[in-house]
Every structure is written in structure tokens, then in C-alpha cells.
Amino acid sequence: MDNGGCCLIVTGAPGSGKSTVSRLVAGRLNRSAVLNGDQVNRLVVSGRVGPLDRPAAEAARQVQLCNENLCALAANFADAGITPVIDWIIPDRAQLDFYHLALSPRRVLLVVLAPSIDACRHRNAERDPEDQFFFEGYESLAAEMRRGFGTMGWWFDTTALTADETAARIVAEAPRLAGHGFTRLSQ
């Protein structure tokens, strides 16, 4: 995985471990950058509307802007020989298709962290209060991702793993498991 032509996306539900695992994965690579969607979204200081906030049209516009910026940054890093590790919730097929097309012709590796919903809730409760994200749509998000992504990428059940164990497995196995299914997007 440690080459600039590859873009790694780490996604999953809130509390699945995306941010912690993304930092740990990036730290295990020779040349890497973590691109955190929440941080890119927060670059909008005045007038920022969160992904689930109102008005919905402005929230959707800002999510799209965040997606475009994440892809532009990832492409720039990948082209410079630095592996981008994108940490962001990609909730549906339309957004996944956008990433694939925007990052093409670079190799896209998708890791969907898929611990149990109870594990996500527990991990969220264990976070620093400033980092907690209260979310009640776990079941519908998981169903939409499963329906939209199908068998694309690597659906990685990390319920019984620590963040370090998860990161080690991603570094070792993502090149083989996380690129599955993307050739269908470009056909």
C-alpha cells in the first residue's frame, strides 16, 4: 500500500474507529497523510452547516464541497508519492462513485470499518466529550452502506480488535482486500 499511486479510504459509522485507525495506519506507512473529513468540513468557519444539520440543501452542498476538497487533496498527495488516508463517512453509493471517479486513475482502496452497532455506541461514549457524536441512525446508515456498496471494498468487522490491531491488519491486508469491486465502477 505504501506508494503514492494509491488512495486509502477508511469509512464506517460514527464510533467505528475511523479517526483513530486512520492516524495509526498513516503512522505505519513510510509516506502518508491523514485527510480527516470532519477537519476539512470545519474549514468553513462562518456559515458552516454540519452534514445532518439544517437547512438540508446547504448541508448537502457543504458535504459535496468537503468531498471535492478531500479528493483534490488526496490526488495531490498521491501524485507526490504520499499515500492519502481519507477518514470520512461515505454513506452511500453516489458518494462512493464520486470518490472513485474523482480519484481515478489512482488505485482506490476502501476499508469499511464495520464493528457492531453496540461497539460503535460504546466507543463513542468512551471518547472525550468534545469528540462525542450523538447519532441515532446506525441501523439505517449500515443498511444504506451495505445496499449501496455491496461487496465493494473490505468490510472489516473490528468489534473484537483494538485500534492498533485494526491498523496493523489494514496495512498488511488492504492492498489485497480493499480494492475489490472498483473496476465495475469505471465500466
Side-chain angles (χ1 to χ4, degrees):
M1 176 177 18
D2 224 353
N3 67 53
C6 171
C7 300
L8 175 63
I9 298 171
V10 178
T11 193
S16 62
K18 294 176 303 300
S19 297
T20 301
V21 168
S22 293
R23 282 190 308 275
L24 291 169
V25 166
R28 292 170 186 257
L29 302 175
N30 290 330
R31 297 173 55 158
S32 63
V34 174
L35 307 179
N36 180 296
D38 291 331
Q39 291 174 351
V40 170
N41 189 288
R42 285 188 206 108
L43 292 173
V44 177
V45 175
S46 181
R48 180 169 55 86
V49 178
L52 301 177
D53 293 341
R54 300 270 179 225
E58 182 60 17
R61 189 177 80 80
Q62 289 187 27
V63 164
Q64 182 59 32
L65 179 62
C66 182
N67 289 336
E68 291 168 3
N69 285 321
L70 284 168
C71 288
L73 283 167
N76 288 338
F77 279 113
D79 293 348
I82 298 169
T83 302
V85 180
I86 300 170
D87 160 18
W88 185 232
I89 296 173
I90 299 177
D92 57 37
R93 179 62 182 263
Q95 284 189 39
L96 181 60
D97 286 352
F98 174 82
Y99 275 79
H100 182 259
L101 293 172
L103 295 171
S104 183
R106 296 158 203 89
R107 183 172 185 217
V108 176
L109 300 177
L110 173 69
V111 176
V112 182
L113 298 181
S116 70
I117 292 170
D118 287 340
C120 289
R121 287 186 174 121
H122 175 75
R123 291 172 184 176
N124 186 49
E126 296 289 312
R127 292 179 181 173
D128 184 291
E130 289 182 16
D131 294 329
Q132 290 178 349
F133 181 78
F134 297 99
F135 179 71
E136 292 303 323
Y138 284 102
E139 289 84 1
S140 61
L141 176 61
E144 179 62 30
M145 290 174 79
R146 286 267 181 205
R147 184 174 37 260
F149 298 5
T151 59
M152 296 175 71
W154 177 17
W155 288 79
F156 187 10
D157 182 351
T158 61
T159 303
L161 300 175
T162 67
D164 281 322
E165 292 167 333
T166 300
R169 293 227 8 230
I170 289 172
V171 170
E173 300 178 49
R176 181 174 53 85
L177 298 174
H180 177 71
F182 279 107
T183 55
R184 291 180 290 172
L185 286 176
S186 58
Q187 294 177 341

